[in-house]
Amino acid sequence: MSGDHNLLVAAVREAGELASSHFGKSHSSWMKKPGQPVSEVDLAVDDLLRQRLCAERPDYGWLSEESAESPDRMDREWLWVVDPIDGTRAFLDARPEYSISVALLHFNRPVTAAVFNPETDELFEAVADGGAKCNGAPIAVSGKDDLDNARILVSRSEFKTLAGDKILAPCEVSSISSIAYKLALVGSGATDAMVTLTTKSDWDIVAAHLIVTEAGGIMTQIDGKTLVYNRPYPRHINVLAAGPTLHAVLAAALRDS
């Protein structure tokens, strides 16, 4: 695993440097779908990651938000799952809330991963059964076990809905953009939980999923169902991540809401 992990981390760092070199500058961008911006920098970062990762591992599959889907990805033993810039709107608005997110799946299970915010210089990484780190130091989820003053991160688009939910009234609800970065912050204990009620794709969450779990947390759908990756339709209807006790408390509260 060390060879794949070192390759992944080096590629993610280089991709972050490329993205950061364009941060705060004007770029060509357009909408893939309503509310889903993409820029020329997303594509450049995607190209860099594909060149670095696939050149070294030509037999591995590839699934990326910004690449045409490979029809044989579900048949691959090893699969790179990539979000070249998670939080494109934040990147385009020059808000330091985006990240580069990459995971490697082995038989659809994440085994190595990294999430990098170049603007805050936080590189979160994890290896299956090897723990999680931020900038080389071990990390762990918080020990928060109830809703009173629990720090909950949500997306900007969901902030009004979730901050106004009476179930979360005892909590400190705040918003930032990149879901991968939000989840990594759960892993580091910088926040207590993350919740989203909107559909997310494999590339949005799988790298951070490994970081959260290796940091001692739990990440599932709100109904408790396991997040399964590399399916024909690689989407997830909602996501909840927190330390074990708070996860159970939040899941029950949100299901009752």
Side-chain angles (χ1 to χ4, degrees):
M1 248 356 287
S2 61
D4 284 333
H5 183 69
N6 291 339
L7 171 65
L8 183 154
V9 170
V12 166
R13 275 206 176 275
E14 187 177 355
E17 291 168 2
L18 174 61
S20 188
S21 70
H22 293 278
F23 185 68
K25 301 177 182 178
S26 178
H27 299 290
S28 174
S29 65
W30 55 97
M31 290 289 178
K32 295 182 292 184
K33 297 178 182 178
Q36 293 187 17
V38 64
S39 75
E40 58 187 344
V41 183
D42 291 77
L43 302 186
V45 172
D46 190 63
D47 287 343
L48 183 152
L49 287 167
R50 189 162 194 166
Q51 289 170 16
R52 297 294 182 271
L53 298 172
C54 293
E56 293 292 328
R57 302 291 189 271
D59 295 332
Y60 290 12
W62 179 263
L63 176 63
S64 168
E65 180 175 14
E66 308 303 348
S67 299
E69 186 168 326
S70 172
D72 66 346
R73 65 172 170 83
M74 293 179 59
D75 300 323
R76 297 297 186 105
E77 177 181 353
W78 300 90
L79 180 73
W80 298 114
V81 182
V82 174
D83 195 339
I85 296 182
D86 182 49
T88 297
R89 190 179 299 280
F91 174 82
L92 292 172
D93 292 343
R95 286 185 278 110
E97 301 174 3
Y98 71 95
S99 66
I100 287 81
S101 176
V102 181
L104 178 63
L105 307 189
H106 184 232
F107 290 119
N108 302 334
R109 173 177 174 252
V111 291
T112 179
V115 172
F116 183 33
N117 182 331
E119 306 312 319
T120 60
D121 194 28
E122 293 169 289
L123 192 147
F124 305 87
E125 58 182 296
V127 175
D129 303 318
K133 299 177 181 179
C134 179
N135 294 345
I139 57 174
V141 296
S142 82
K144 185 67 175 171
D145 60 5
D146 60 25
L147 296 183
D148 288 342
N149 299 313
R151 300 162 298 171
I152 313 294
L153 280 177
V154 302
S155 69
R156 289 180 177 270
S157 62
E158 293 182 281
F159 177 73
K160 288 184 178 179
T161 299
L162 289 170
D165 192 314
K166 63 181 180 180
I167 295 297
L168 299 183
C171 306
E172 298 176 6
V173 181
S174 57
S175 64
I176 58 176
S177 293
S178 164
I179 186 171
Y181 182 46
K182 288 195 287 283
L183 289 165
L185 291 173
V186 173
S188 73
T191 192
D192 299 313
M194 191 290 314
V195 61
T196 179
L197 305 180
T198 59
T199 301
K200 299 300 174 186
S201 302
D202 281 8
W203 49 76
D204 295 314
I205 62 172
V206 65
H209 189 172
L210 184 62
I211 293 165
V212 169
T213 55
E214 286 297 321
I218 296 178
M219 183 167 144
T220 64
Q221 290 183 178
I222 289 170
D223 62 7
K225 289 183 179 177
T226 300
L227 298 165
V228 180
Y229 297 106
N230 196 29
R231 297 177 298 176
Y233 186 67
R235 305 288 188 272
H236 311 272
I237 59 172
N238 49 50
V239 180
L240 171 64
T245 303
L246 183 59
H247 182 280
V249 171
L250 268 171
L254 290 166
R255 285 197 299 267
D256 291 343
S257 176

